[in-house]
Amino acid sequence: MKTAERIDTRAVMTSRPGRPAGRSLLRIGPWIAIPVRRATVIAAVVTLLLLLGAAVATLSLGRLGIDPADLPSALMGEATGKNAFVLNRLRGPRLVVAIATGAAFGLSGALFQSVTRNPLGSPDVIGLGAGSGAGAAAAALFFPDHVPVPVGALLGAVTAMAVVYFSTGTGFRNPGRLVVSGIGVAAMSTALTQYVVYAVERDKASALTAYINGSLSARSWDDATTIWGVLLVCLPLAALLARPLSIGEMGDDLSTGLGARPARTATAAVTLSIVLSAGAVSVAGPIAFVSLTAPQIAKRVTRSGGPHLVMSTLLGALLLVLADLTAQQLPLFDNLPVGLYTMAVGGAYLGYLLLREWKRPAV
């Protein structure tokens, strides 16, 4: 009799309306139950393992790398000599910054693409990266002894987003106006950046060019504290937006009928996306295409709908760590900015999308 009761209860649980096939509930305490897909959990675990492997490779490869046998003790605080220098000054901060920066870019792109329902959408499209580059350039040219370049980049990003916000006439609520206004702001910002690079001295221009392409060289623990602080503040807020974003992807009319507020959700998601991108840009420069490609890879890995916030965060971290590992270890080039490698990946991705569209039969 007890066996029959257990079977009946289980049948009711699996046939409960509103729970899609392939999903289970992750319970945190008596009040929180989060629906998760098994495929997403598996993909997240695999991504974490790949990220761990890339992190170990970053710390151990190359002439100055830490021997893998010594790595556990070094991470426990027992590093000395060369190992201490590599872990605490050379590669450790750079790796920690890369993980958080990539995660911030990936989560930012997922939020933005979910709101705009555009696979080519990212904060770069609305001029944030270009604005940060212009701010960094202006700081280097006009206030070289008063405003640090990263602070200039942050101010430039904030200014660009303020211009976009007011120029649309609807704030961040209308995705179409947002993109059009952002393209104009990006064009003006790029023009200012190119003028500054042309006008400043050659040595300063070289350093500035590296920054505005996105670089993780010479990162410090202060940079790591900054970006991890931004990420840890934004993650709970993104979690609160996960359900409204999922409902919003059904369309404004249906989501409004279900009690959601798509305009408020869009404003909150775009604002949070901008904060994440601005935080990442302030420590690493406008690294391109991570926010564009990470959500799309997440969508294809999980093969499901939804904003994919967790997977986009993990894949953004993995993409940037792999790109930085390539930048450090590729023998053909010496210390190229990591942003150039992400641009190459993003260009290949856009080429793939273009070829796929060409192969589709005309309707």
Side-chain angles (χ1 to χ4, degrees):
M1 185 67 182
K2 290 182 179 180
T3 304
E5 289 177 357
R6 282 199 297 269
I7 293 174
D8 291 343
T9 302
R10 191 175 301 166
V12 171
M13 290 288 290
T14 54
S15 61
R16 184 180 299 170
R19 177 155 342 144
R23 280 196 175 188
S24 57
L25 288 177
L26 173 64
R27 296 190 176 276
I28 305 174
W31 297 287
I32 301 176
I34 304 173
V36 293
R37 292 181 180 273
R38 295 182 184 89
T40 302
V41 172
I42 293 172
V45 171
V46 171
T47 303
L48 281 171
L49 291 175
L50 291 173
L51 180 59
L52 177 61
V56 171
T58 298
L59 295 175
S60 24
L61 291 180
R63 183 171 56 87
L64 294 176
I66 302 173
D67 189 286
D70 299 331
L71 195 54
S73 60
L75 293 174
M76 295 298 294
E78 300 176 7
T80 58
K82 183 202 78 171
N83 288 353
F85 173 74
V86 170
L87 185 62
N88 298 323
R89 297 287 298 276
L90 187 62
R91 297 188 185 177
R94 181 169 180 162
L95 172 63
V96 173
V97 169
I99 292 172
T101 300
F105 276 130
L107 179 56
S108 173
L111 291 167
F112 194 88
Q113 289 182 16
S114 179
V115 168
T116 60
R117 300 167 200 156
N118 183 352
L120 298 179
S122 76
D124 298 335
V125 173
I126 60 172
L128 188 143
S132 68
L141 178 62
F142 302 115
F143 312 102
D145 300 321
H146 303 285
V147 180
V149 169
V151 174
L154 182 59
L155 293 175
V158 171
T159 301
M161 292 305 96
V163 173
V164 170
Y165 181 89
F166 289 109
S167 64
T168 61
T170 57
F172 296 139
R173 294 191 297 272
N174 189 308
R177 293 186 182 184
L178 193 65
V179 171
V180 172
S181 177
I183 291 173
V185 170
M188 292 185 290
S189 300
T190 302
L192 174 61
T193 302
Q194 294 304 319
Y195 166 74
V196 172
V197 170
Y198 175 79
V200 299
E201 299 174 7
R202 180 177 299 177
D203 293 340
K204 291 182 180 179
S206 298
L208 180 60
T209 300
Y211 183 84
I212 62 179
N213 282 319
S215 176
L216 292 170
S217 299
R219 299 302 95 180
S220 67
W221 290 115
D222 289 339
D223 297 318
T225 301
T226 299
I227 185 57
W228 274 100
V230 171
L231 187 62
L232 292 177
V233 168
C234 291
L235 281 174
L237 300 176
L240 293 175
L241 287 174
R243 180 173 175 79
L245 287 173
S246 297
I247 296 174
E249 291 193 349
M250 301 177 185
D252 290 348
D253 294 338
L254 184 56
S255 61
T256 301
L258 292 173
R261 298 179 178 179
R264 290 181 59 179
T265 300
T267 299
V270 172
T271 302
L272 189 59
S273 175
I274 290 170
V275 171
L276 286 161
S277 289
V281 162
S282 70
V283 299
I287 297 174
F289 285 113
V290 175
S291 57
L292 175 68
T293 55
Q296 292 304 304
I297 295 174
K299 180 178 179 180
R300 283 156 178 77
V301 166
T302 58
R303 297 183 180 181
S304 62
H308 305 292
L309 300 184
V310 174
M311 279 304 302
S312 298
T313 302
L314 294 176
L315 284 166
L318 178 61
L319 286 173
L320 192 53
V321 170
L322 289 174
D324 190 48
L325 177 62
T326 304
Q328 293 182 64
Q329 301 299 331
L330 194 66
L332 299 178
F333 307 101
D334 184 23
N335 291 326
L336 282 179
V338 67
L340 297 181
Y341 292 94
T342 60
M343 285 182 190
V345 173
Y349 167 70
L350 291 176
Y352 159 74
L353 286 182
L354 186 60
L355 289 173
R356 192 180 67 173
E357 290 298 323
W358 279 350
K359 291 179 179 178
R360 282 185 177 179
V363 179

